[in-house]
Amino acid sequence: MVFQKHLGEESIPAEVLAARRPGTSDADWDSFEARFRSEFPRLRSLFRRIYGGGADDELVLLAAEAAESWQRRPAGLKALDADRAAAPDWFQSNRMLGGVCYVDLYAIDLSGLRARIPYFRELGLTYLHLMPLFLAPESNSDGGYAVSSYRELNPALGTIEELASTAAELRANGISLVVDFIFNHTSNEHEWARKALAGDPEFEKYYWIFPDRQMPDAYERTVREIFPDDHPGSFVPLPDGRWVWATFHSFQWDLNYRNPAVFRAMAREMLFLANQGVEVLRMDAVAFVWKQLGTACESLPEAHLLLQAFNAVCRLAAPSLLFKSEAIVHPDEVVQYISPGECQLSYNPLQMALIWNSLATREVSLLAQALERRHAIPPGAAWVNYVRSHDDIGWTFSDEDAAEFGIGGYDHRRFLNAFFVNRFPGSFARGVPFQENPRTGDCRISGTTASLAGLEAGDAGAVGRILLAHAIVLSTGGIPLIYLGDEVGQLNDYGYTQDPGKAGDSRWVGRPDYPAARYALRDDPATAPGAIFQGLQHLIRVRAATPEFAGGRLVPFGTNNPSVLGYQRPGAPGAKPSVVLVLANFADSRQEVTAETLSGLPGSAVDLISGQEMAVTAGLGLEPHGVLWLRFSPEGPA
């Protein structure tokens, strides 16, 4: 395809102009053309870097499909696009609060979920991530991450039309809908996979299918096994003797993004979801999407180019859609996925893991180091900070970082694994090992926040630990994310062991059904659920009233106490000068921050959590698991 020049500017290809519908208004089409002229050059450059100039025909078809998708975009979503363009930092607000849940476990179906919207507003949610809810094989779904159709839901949850109406109702209540976009692989029951298995040459090219073991063997020399308990290597045999790439489970076939038709097909699915009212896509397994012989096939440069190209497609047809990266990789690699042109949001797995590390060790050096070195990310992007997710906890800290404190990474991970599965003397945690290797002691940890923090064990410090952990994610900047049910202290559900479809996956221990009895106690602070809920809701309200907690700027603060974490959150430039100093005690005993340590600060401050003015000149004491959010201003206490 040749792009012609007109008056020094590239003309819009005829295929794109032909996509205009008769009913499309001039204003609507003009807005698309304006975005096309500004955004398409970036998409074309990325496409050619990935595929070379020989894929221009696919690129033009992709642009035409983007034009068609924009014209199908509902008016309410186009209004949202305009609102977000006027306030592009909307997700950086200190009022942002995320929740995540499985629809079936938390609310049975989408109708039940909509009935919980008043509670979401009570809690203060502005962002709701619904775990995979698309059509998937009943027996081999990997928790919904084996998608058989991106346009059909699991029938037990509802229809795609109900998802769109749910998104609209959430949006009317100030809550953005987030869903997973599983774009590295499909289920082996997806229509594309079925056609590939049947020998359709077009769809055989959608996957990495080989006639024998020659190429699989060559790739597997440098590619690591992800789930060795499921299958060895990265390939699984097909009934006809061929082999297909399956990084994760045998029923999840990796897509071949070296084929530009695959990119275009997945872009269509992405824009379809955006037009149902999805505002954020969690980009699953981003590190694995590009394969290159002789490499580990993880976090290759083309993986970033693909994300940037998908992002550029969004700017054409769903300009307010955001991406959230899920990259559980080395800390130095996580940040590489974060930018306005790639993934505007990213999980913060390092902070999550190091919060648990500090709770186990009662020592904050690694967490403080991470906040100092690895918290800053590009402007226009934000962390999604969480205490735990639907998944397991892996100890993702860098061995090089740990070595600076004389900590051996291998031995320390073994300690953490033992501690959190109650195999270490004095442990308060009741986690369950995931993917355990008895020979090496290697594993990851499953469990709910409450069970990991000691509530299941009846430990007196459990409620304090739960509130402390959430106080960190609420005050470090970005979007705090709560696994719904944790705010009332839900405990591990060991019933998963009785379900043959789940018994082999201990992650289900941390995915209980809706804890109705615990929610019924949320207004009674004399109970553990009530104490957790009331304490957490208070922190959420204080955060929402604290403009210093907007954005992501964070300044380290050394407390000279190995058990007390400190950091500062300055007010926005141009606002009334102020700073909030956060102090958090990870010890099970009272700790002091000395007057000398605090001597450079004004003599008094207001603790935003208690509302009390506090003298600083004599030093400060923090109760076990205590947290202070201290506001200082040049004029004195606010």
Side-chain angles (χ1 to χ4, degrees):
M1 178 64 61
V2 177
F3 293 91
Q4 298 178 345
K5 299 280 188 178
H6 178 66
L7 300 177
E9 295 180 356
E10 291 178 343
S11 64
I12 297 176
E15 290 85 348
V16 176
L17 294 173
R20 180 173 178 175
R21 295 180 169 188
T24 300
S25 69
D26 288 344
D28 213 18
W29 185 254
D30 288 347
S31 71
F32 177 80
E33 283 199 359
R35 286 196 309 281
F36 186 91
R37 294 185 187 281
S38 65
E39 299 291 345
F40 184 76
R42 179 167 69 101
L43 174 60
R44 185 188 60 202
S45 174
L46 289 164
F47 216 73
R48 287 179 172 174
R49 288 175 67 186
I50 298 167
Y51 298 114
D56 279 352
D57 286 350
E58 289 285 347
L59 176 60
V60 172
L61 293 173
L62 172 64
E65 288 167 355
E68 292 168 358
S69 181
W70 165 254
Q71 292 171 93
R72 290 193 297 268
R73 191 159 172 80
L77 294 177
K78 290 180 178 177
L80 179 70
D81 294 332
D83 290 344
R84 296 286 162 77
D89 62 346
W90 65 274
F91 57 89
Q92 308 262 20
S93 168
N94 51 300
R95 296 181 178 274
M96 288 297 296
L97 178 69
V100 57
C101 68
Y102 286 88
V103 173
D104 56 337
L105 300 177
Y106 194 78
I108 299 178
D109 55 20
L110 286 175
S111 176
L113 186 87
R114 291 195 296 275
R116 302 213 190 281
I117 290 177
Y119 168 72
F120 298 154
R121 294 192 57 165
E122 175 190 346
L123 183 59
L125 292 191
T126 61
Y127 163 118
L128 180 63
H129 180 178
L130 302 182
M131 296 300 293
L133 67 175
F134 298 101
L135 189 67
E138 187 171 342
S139 57
N140 292 320
S141 73
D142 186 30
Y145 284 95
V147 176
S148 298
S149 172
Y150 297 91
R151 302 191 181 212
E152 298 175 77
L153 301 191
N154 177 341
L157 303 180
T159 64
I160 198 70
E161 292 77 16
E162 286 180 279
L163 180 65
S165 63
T166 299
E169 190 169 347
L170 288 167
R171 190 164 61 252
N173 282 276
I175 302 171
S176 297
L177 176 61
V178 185
V179 303
D180 293 80
F181 189 51
I182 296 94
F183 74 120
N184 175 72
H185 49 263
T186 72
S187 157
N188 60 355
E189 294 187 10
H190 193 286
E191 179 186 10
W192 302 340
R194 291 180 184 274
K195 289 181 176 179
L197 185 63
D200 185 318
E202 177 184 355
F203 290 96
E204 285 178 323
K205 296 175 184 177
Y206 272 43
Y207 300 93
W208 293 86
I209 297 176
F210 297 100
D212 54 39
R213 284 293 310 181
Q214 179 181 354
M215 290 307 298
D217 287 342
Y219 277 106
E220 287 179 354
R221 292 189 187 104
T222 54
V223 174
R224 67 186 174 106
E225 292 180 337
I226 302 300
F227 288 149
D229 290 351
D230 182 81
H231 64 89
S234 295
F235 289 81
V236 295
L238 298 178
D240 58 12
R242 293 179 296 168
W243 293 81
V244 63
W245 199 315
T247 293
F248 299 103
H249 291 92
S250 59
F251 48 82
Q252 293 166 305
W253 294 2
D254 286 39
L255 289 163
N256 179 10
Y257 278 100
R258 287 183 173 274
N259 177 0
V262 169
F263 182 95
R264 184 163 66 91
M266 290 304 288
R268 286 196 300 270
E269 306 307 289
M270 177 185 70
L271 294 178
F272 174 82
L273 293 177
N275 281 358
Q276 308 315 303
V278 175
E279 297 183 35
V280 179
L281 287 176
R282 172 192 177 273
M283 306 299 280
D284 181 65
V286 293
F288 296 89
V289 294
W290 190 263
K291 317 320 188 196
Q292 177 67 50
L293 188 64
T295 74
C297 297
E298 294 182 41
S299 290
L300 296 175
E302 291 83 357
H304 297 280
L305 296 177
L306 284 170
L307 283 167
Q308 293 167 34
F310 277 124
N311 193 304
V313 172
C314 292
R315 302 289 77 79
L316 291 175
S320 63
L321 186 71
L322 299 184
F323 290 170
K324 175 171 62 172
S325 76
E326 186 259 353
I328 311 302
V329 292
H330 188 283
D332 289 338
E333 294 180 16
V334 172
V335 72
Q336 295 173 13
Y337 292 92
I338 308 170
S339 73
E342 193 159 333
C343 292
Q344 299 83 4
L345 305 175
S346 174
Y347 285 110
N348 195 349
L350 180 63
Q351 178 176 291
M352 179 273 296
L354 293 181
I355 287 173
W356 289 108
N357 171 75
S358 291
L359 288 171
T361 62
R362 285 75 164 180
E363 203 273 337
V364 301
S365 58
L366 283 173
L367 181 53
Q369 180 197 63
L371 291 176
E372 180 175 0
R373 293 185 183 174
R374 305 188 186 280
H375 177 79
I377 54 177
W383 288 116
V384 174
N385 294 314
Y386 57 110
V387 175
R388 68 100 174 184
S389 71
H390 72 286
D391 223 335
D392 55 277
I393 299 172
W395 308 114
T396 58
F397 60 84
S398 160
D399 286 0
E400 296 83 359
D401 290 347
E404 294 183 23
F405 299 104
I407 299 171
Y410 175 78
D411 289 338
H412 194 59
R413 289 185 179 89
R414 290 197 64 174
F415 155 71
L416 291 170
N417 288 335
F419 186 93
F420 280 104
V421 300
N422 191 29
R423 297 174 188 166
F424 189 85
S427 172
F428 52 74
R430 296 296 181 268
V432 179
F434 175 66
Q435 294 282 327
E436 183 174 26
N437 185 328
R439 182 178 59 83
T440 64
D442 186 37
C443 71
R444 301 194 292 277
I445 306 299
S446 301
T448 67
T449 294
S451 289
L452 293 172
L455 194 65
E456 183 177 325
D459 188 273
V463 171
R465 291 188 194 97
I466 294 167
L467 293 176
L468 165 62
H470 284 93
I472 301 301
V473 302
L474 286 164
S475 60
T476 45
I479 301 175
L481 182 66
I482 298 170
Y483 190 99
L484 292 174
D486 280 6
E487 77 276 21
V488 291
Q490 64 188 346
L491 300 176
N492 284 349
D493 177 11
Y494 299 99
Y496 81 97
T497 60
Q498 307 305 311
D499 183 336
K502 299 176 179 177
D505 186 346
S506 69
R507 291 174 297 181
W508 286 104
V509 78
R511 304 166 183 171
D513 288 340
Y514 179 80
R518 303 188 80 84
Y519 275 111
L521 297 172
R522 70 181 185 274
D523 294 326
D524 183 357
T527 65
I532 295 167
F533 182 82
Q534 295 293 318
L536 182 55
Q537 191 171 53
H538 178 64
L539 292 173
I540 292 166
R541 288 172 176 166
V542 172
R543 177 181 187 271
T546 305
E548 293 90 341
F549 286 161
R553 187 180 173 207
L554 182 149
V555 179
F557 183 88
T559 66
N560 296 312
N561 183 317
S563 295
V564 179
L565 180 69
Y567 49 92
Q568 303 170 79
R569 298 298 313 282
K576 178 182 176 181
S578 65
V579 64
V580 172
L581 171 64
V582 176
L583 298 174
N585 177 17
F586 279 81
D588 297 332
S589 59
R590 180 180 171 86
Q591 297 291 311
E592 303 291 329
V593 180
T594 66
E596 182 180 6
T597 298
L598 301 169
S599 60
L601 298 170
S604 63
V606 172
D607 174 32
L608 300 176
I609 296 174
S610 67
Q612 295 180 347
E613 183 176 346
M614 305 188 73
V616 176
T617 52
L620 292 169
L622 288 92
E623 296 303 315
H625 314 125
V627 179
L628 297 174
W629 288 349
L630 299 169
R631 174 181 279 152
F632 294 88
S633 61
E635 295 80 10

